[in-house]
Amino acid sequence: MNNYCLKTTFILFFLGIFNFAHSASLPYEAWRLGFSSPSYMEVWIETADVVDIKGQVYRRAMSGNAAIQNPPGNSGDPKGWPVKPGWGKGKYVTGADLPKKIYVRWQSLVEPQTYQMSIDVPESAREVMRKEEQAYCAADGKWIAAYREALVIGLAPGGVAKLWALGPCLPPVEITRVQAEIDPRGPYEGESGGKHRPLSAVSKAYVDKFGVPYGSW
């Protein structure tokens, strides 16, 4: 192969990489997936898998504990969802385009029970995530150009889940509410002999005294 062909091949290869890198529909480097749960209603996420709009699958985009507040002395209130949910505990789904579907399997430790669900992320949610907005940040008194680059999933007992889109200094946008199903295999896909992860002493004390506020989510 002569030098001209080599140069042409290199240029085409470089342009291919460039076009691929810029073919993603999100206007920022990566979007974030986070999880939270109501006070004392502890959950353990076995896996959260993402399918983006290009059909690429991202296994275990998140796992582990969801963000939670467990104030001592039973002083917290787990009923209902917050007006302004936080970003939750999570990770950026690096390399992924905007999400099409999110599959979650988790343990609700206060019951205990294992749930699974598949969230179909609507195009309206992706439009929200693509839209740039001017936002006022009270913390530093500045206006910024911001995106809702995070999806947060709230997980509650009974298999109830709610999805929001969030961005820095922007009000949250509620996307959908999902009712999960019980995973008949049990925790860890049946590989733990039916044993769920243990509930913390603080959460157990609350549940023993007040129970689980089903129907409030």
Side-chain angles (χ1 to χ4, degrees):
M1 184 180 293
N2 59 38
N3 289 338
Y4 176 81
C5 291
L6 284 172
K7 288 180 180 179
T8 301
T9 301
F10 175 79
I11 291 171
L12 290 174
F13 177 76
F14 175 80
L15 288 175
I17 294 176
F18 181 86
N19 288 333
F20 175 80
H22 287 74
S23 63
S25 63
L26 62 163
Y28 33 81
E29 187 174 347
W31 61 275
R32 187 180 187 275
L33 178 62
F35 290 86
S36 63
S37 57
S39 294
Y40 310 111
M41 304 293 113
E42 296 176 3
V43 304
W44 177 263
I45 302 155
E46 293 186 1
T47 188
D49 306 331
V50 172
V51 180
D52 71 9
I53 56 176
K54 293 180 179 176
Q56 296 297 311
V57 180
Y58 296 82
R59 304 286 185 188
R60 292 180 69 83
M62 174 58 186
S63 61
N65 291 310
I68 191 172
Q69 294 183 352
N70 285 349
N74 297 331
S75 58
D77 184 3
K79 301 182 187 69
W81 299 109
V83 176
K84 293 183 177 180
W87 283 46
K89 184 178 179 181
K91 299 177 181 178
Y92 281 89
V93 190
T94 305
D97 208 316
L98 291 174
K100 179 179 182 181
K101 188 182 293 288
I102 303 172
Y103 169 77
V104 188
R105 187 177 68 251
W106 79 95
Q107 300 176 28
S108 174
L109 305 184
V110 297
E111 300 181 77
Q113 189 59 268
T114 305
Y115 295 99
Q116 60 183 355
M117 67 178 177
S118 181
I119 301 175
D120 292 315
V121 182
E123 176 59 26
S124 58
R126 291 186 287 273
E127 290 174 0
V128 167
M129 297 177 75
R130 294 187 190 104
K131 184 180 179 182
E132 180 182 328
E133 294 189 29
Q134 293 298 309
Y136 179 75
C137 293
D140 54 13
K142 295 180 180 179
W143 285 88
I144 63 169
Y147 293 93
R148 290 181 177 85
E149 61 189 61
L151 289 181
V152 177
I153 301 174
L155 300 175
V160 178
K162 186 165 280 193
L163 175 66
W164 296 271
L166 282 74
C169 305
L170 290 169
V173 174
E174 182 179 324
I175 303 300
T176 189
R177 181 182 184 276
V178 178
Q179 176 60 57
E181 62 181 14
I182 294 174
D183 187 341
R185 299 169 297 179
Y188 300 108
E189 299 179 288
E191 296 182 358
S192 67
K195 294 182 179 180
H196 291 80
R197 292 181 65 88
L199 184 65
S200 73
V202 175
S203 290
K204 186 177 185 306
Y206 183 93
V207 173
D208 286 347
K209 185 172 183 179
F210 299 103
V212 177
Y214 291 107
S216 66
W217 302 293

